[in-house]
Amino acid sequence: MVKMPELVVINKKPSILSRCVLPSPACSFEIIYIEDIVLRVISSYLEPSIDPPLWLLEAWNRFWRGERPKVKLGTPRRPSRFSEKVYEVVEGIPFGHKKTYGEVAALAGNPKGARAVGTIMRYNPWPPFVPCHRVIGKDGDLLGYGGPQGIKIKEALIAYEAKVLNNPSAE
């Protein structure tokens, strides 16, 4: 199993939070970070930032090329053991591929935990770095995705990845 990016538990209240907005093939994403740690990613209609930090821009561009981004993910408290396993399984789903909620649950150690996986994905603070858009219903339906126009964004992200895999020179 692929190890997910480093997970950093932020035990004290950060003094300075930063934010920027980066574009994607589906929408913009607002990224909240401290130093070099991504705390939250939210789909957005805001215009992309003019001068995002280089470390974040490099990680972002790696993701959209189908490469594993090198990024630290931050959280105010450690997720449950099962949540961490789910994040690890989802982060390991290859670019352009999908798994069902049930498959993710089984790989995370709870074969009957599909609904729990759905809840964990609903509150995933790091899309697309933990690519919850790659998790689908057992019959192939695109179920749930946070933010404005959620299902449309999920559909666009999946279509983009398929396009890149079929045409490596696609943008």
Side-chain angles (χ1 to χ4, degrees), residues 9-145:
V9 177
I10 311 281
N11 291 321
K12 61 181 182 170
K13 188 171 185 172
S15 56
I16 299 177
L17 289 177
S18 300
R19 63 182 62 224
C20 70
V21 178
L22 295 175
S24 86
C27 65
S28 293
F29 284 92
E30 182 176 11
I31 302 171
I32 300 166
Y33 62 95
I34 181 169
E35 298 170 9
D36 64 343
I37 303 167
V38 174
L39 301 174
R40 185 118 179 102
V41 182
I42 306 160
S43 61
S44 171
Y45 290 118
L46 298 173
E47 290 294 317
S49 299
I50 294 172
D51 196 18
L54 186 57
W55 66 268
L56 184 55
L57 189 58
E58 287 174 356
W60 193 251
N61 288 337
R62 284 179 66 91
F63 177 83
W64 297 109
R65 289 192 307 262
E67 301 168 14
R68 295 220 184 276
K70 294 178 180 161
V71 65
K72 293 179 195 170
L73 305 175
T75 181
R77 65 181 186 280
R78 179 153 303 286
S80 71
R81 185 178 269 161
F82 182 64
S83 293
E84 278 195 70
K85 287 182 180 179
V86 167
Y87 291 139
E88 194 170 302
V89 168
V90 172
E91 198 282 327
I93 301 171
F95 189 87
H97 294 82
K98 301 178 284 255
K99 290 201 180 299
T100 67
Y101 291 94
E103 289 172 324
V104 170
L107 289 168
N110 183 357
K112 295 185 179 192
R115 285 181 179 236
V117 169
T119 300
I120 293 165
M121 291 295 89
R122 176 183 302 142
Y123 297 108
N124 173 16
W126 311 290
F129 294 119
V130 175
C132 52
H133 63 278
R134 297 179 189 154
V135 183
I136 60 171
K138 65 181 174 186
D139 55 3
D141 287 346
L142 303 183
L143 305 172
Y145 193 77

